[in-house]
């Protein structure tokens, strides 16, 4: 019987794990000794970091979207059905139609979901960047927004891509400057968090950028309600346009399988990425975990290499030594044509970001336009 690797979720993390394993274990897969299966119901995968650009200038469709069949290695089996239950004791995954997929190794890479129903009035009294439909609706709204107050509120943490709110504000500020509308538009940012960013040097950089651009910000601002024309919290802020980050949760299959802890996320070992409460052969990566690292594609990418290496080592050597050291790399767009970059890990906090430049903006462009190819090759 072949060793069965089942991966729940075919997004960035899941596809990277699958393709890395297909490369590392290609001989074993071809001999029928290993079987790699990805359970992913979506007919089209979205490049979610691309949502940032949609309100301004949507990226080409072949950058924004890709079929899972074109992303995954031919050595990987694709099950195009939603996973309904993960049973760690029985070591199997059940799909919505009742089919069961037993595993010898499990990787949960089902991501996080922006719950737009958590705040009444989605795409009417408030807009978001965290769904494609929301980003498109925001684009239409911005076309008629030429004066007034735009309030951007982070209503819940954690959420996907923690720097995206600032990138949007900096890019929109660029737009206001270039069109001569800045004098007629006021930008206000609120967050429920006690800071703009958990990394002190990144927080300092963002505070300086906000002050330099005249963007007001309030921390520890718990939004109670978003109504037509106002954001209600510790104070009521009048708003002509509201953009918000709604509550994020793991995918339904993780929650419904009873795998979350008191934080609401899937608990894993910070170094091995093994699911706590499992038998040692179950892993989770990316946005679904409870780790104190950003919920971002780059993090899922780095974690995918760790998990793929550990499974490869277990199958070929009988033990696994590779560990995740908390590696994070993040671009921060400071306008349409400039960006900076920060990185850190468990032992080394982020340094103060280097000056914004076109160089980093082009590096981010390179990432945007190459990600599907890099993923397909399992790099």
């Amino acid at each position: 019987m072949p060793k069965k690797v089942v991966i729940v979720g075919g997004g960035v993390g899941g596809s990277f794990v699958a393709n890395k394993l297909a490369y590392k274990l290609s001989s074993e897969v071809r001999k029928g000794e290993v079987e790699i299966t990805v359970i992913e119901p979506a007919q089209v995968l979205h490049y979610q970091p691309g949502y940032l650009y949609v309100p301004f200038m949507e990226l080409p469709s072949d950058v924004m979207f890709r079929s899972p069949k074109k992303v995954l290695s031919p050595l990987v089996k694709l099950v195009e059905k939603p996973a309904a239950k993960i049973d760690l004791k029985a070591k199997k995954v059940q799909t919505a139609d009742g089919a069961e997929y037993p595993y010898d190794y499990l990787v949960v890479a089902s991501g996080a979901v922006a719950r737009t129903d958590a705040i009444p009035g989605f795409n009417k009294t408030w807009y978001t960047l965290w769904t494609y439909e929301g980003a498109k609706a925001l684009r239409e709204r911005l076309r008629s927004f030429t004066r007034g107050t735009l309030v951007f509120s982070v209503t819940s943490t954690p959420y996907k891509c923690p720097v995206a709110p600032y990138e949007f504000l900096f890019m929109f500020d660029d737009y206001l400057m270039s069109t001569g509308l800045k004098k007629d538009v006021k930008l206000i940012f609120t967050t429920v968090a006690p800071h703009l960013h958990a990394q002190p040097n990144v927080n300092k950089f963002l505070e300086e950028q906000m002050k330099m651009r005249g963007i007001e910000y309030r921390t520890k601002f718990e939004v109670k309600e978003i109504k037509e024309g106002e954001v209600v919290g510790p104070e009521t802020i009048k708003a002509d346009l509201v953009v918000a980050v709604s509550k994020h949760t793991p995918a339904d299959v993780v929650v419904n399988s009873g795998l979350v802890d008191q934080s609401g996320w899937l608990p894993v070992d910070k170094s091995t990425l093994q699911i706590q409460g499992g038998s040692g052969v179950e892993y989770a990566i990316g946005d679904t975990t409870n780790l104190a690292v950003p919920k971002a594609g780059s993090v899922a990418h780095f974690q995918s290499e760790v998990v793929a290496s550990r499974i490869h080592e277990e199958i070929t050597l009988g033990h696994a030594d590779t560990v995740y050291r908390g590696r994070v790399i993040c671009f921060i767009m400071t306008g349409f044509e400039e960006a900076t970059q920060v990185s850190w890990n468990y032992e080394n906090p982020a340094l103060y970001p280097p000056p914004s430049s076109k160089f980093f903006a082009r590096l981010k462009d390179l990432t945007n336009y190459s990600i599907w190819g890099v993923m397909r090759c399992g790099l």
Side-chain angles (χ1 to χ4, degrees), residues 10-11 15 40 42-47 64-68 71 372:
S15 291
E40 172 54 62
Q43 299 295 306
V44 177
L45 299 176
H46 287 214
Y47 178 56
M64 287 294 298
F65 312 109
R66 194 65 59 96
S67 164
V71 172
W372 296 118

Side-chain angles (χ1 to χ4, degrees), residues 67-329:
S67 164
K69 294 178 181 178
K70 292 184 177 181
V71 172
L72 293 172
S73 163
L75 298 180
V76 175
K77 295 183 178 181
L78 174 62
V79 175
E80 297 178 281
K81 296 182 288 188
K85 183 179 180 182
I86 299 170
D87 190 333
L88 300 185
K89 291 184 178 180
K91 292 187 178 180
K92 64 183 180 182
V93 177
Q94 186 179 81
T95 51
D97 61 355
E100 295 182 344
Y101 297 84
Y103 64 79
D104 295 289
Y105 297 94
L106 171 72
V107 182
V108 179
S110 48
V113 180
R115 303 294 181 179
T116 53
D117 57 353
I119 307 173
F122 174 53
N123 278 350
K124 294 179 181 177
T125 58
W126 66 278
Y127 300 83
T128 194
L129 293 171
W130 277 262
T131 70
Y132 182 58
E133 294 73 18
K136 287 195 299 181
L138 177 57
R139 178 175 61 199
E140 293 304 311
R141 179 66 181 86
L142 286 177
R143 287 177 176 174
S144 61
F145 183 73
T146 57
R147 63 176 59 248
T149 300
L150 182 151
V151 177
F152 197 123
S153 290
V154 175
T155 69
S156 178
T157 61
Y159 58 93
K160 292 184 282 188
C161 196
V163 299
Y166 311 108
E167 293 183 298
F168 171 82
L169 288 170
F170 299 158
M171 292 168 73
F172 188 54
D173 186 64
D174 246 17
Y175 165 77
L176 295 175
M177 289 285 288
S178 65
T179 57
L181 296 174
K182 188 171 176 64
K183 65 182 185 303
D184 299 317
V185 175
K186 183 177 184 179
L187 301 179
I188 300 176
F189 175 76
T190 76
T191 178
V192 68
H195 40 57
L196 299 185
H197 198 280
Q199 288 288 317
N201 280 321
V202 180
N203 185 71
K204 181 180 179 182
F205 171 80
L206 292 173
E207 287 182 342
E208 291 172 351
Q209 287 288 316
M210 300 285 262
K211 291 175 182 176
M212 179 184 72
R213 298 164 187 271
I215 302 173
E216 295 182 18
Y217 63 88
R218 295 159 174 75
T219 57
K220 300 180 182 179
F221 191 99
E222 185 173 347
V223 173
K224 298 177 181 177
E225 186 180 8
I226 298 176
K227 300 192 294 187
E228 187 69 40
E230 58 186 29
V231 177
V232 181
E235 62 179 289
T236 297
I237 303 175
K238 298 296 182 181
D240 299 286
L241 173 59
V242 179
V243 185
V245 180
S246 59
K247 181 179 180 179
H248 283 51
T249 70
D252 289 341
V253 62
V254 174
V255 177
N256 295 340
S257 298
L259 300 182
V260 300
D261 64 7
Q262 64 273 15
S263 73
W265 300 92
L266 180 52
V268 300
D269 183 275
K270 64 180 289 188
S271 299
T272 66
L273 304 178
Q274 291 165 307
I275 295 175
Q276 294 178 9
S279 59
V281 297
E282 296 92 358
Y283 296 88
I285 64 171
D287 298 349
T288 195
T289 76
N290 69 338
L291 294 182
V293 293
K295 297 188 182 301
S298 64
V299 173
H301 185 185
F302 298 140
Q303 292 175 347
S304 72
E305 177 60 33
V306 172
V307 169
S309 294
R310 289 186 65 85
I311 293 174
H312 172 247
E313 291 164 358
E314 285 281 0
I315 290 175
T316 59
L317 302 176
H319 62 86
D321 299 318
T322 302
V323 294
Y324 176 61
R325 303 187 186 280
R327 186 184 181 193
V328 176
I329 293 180

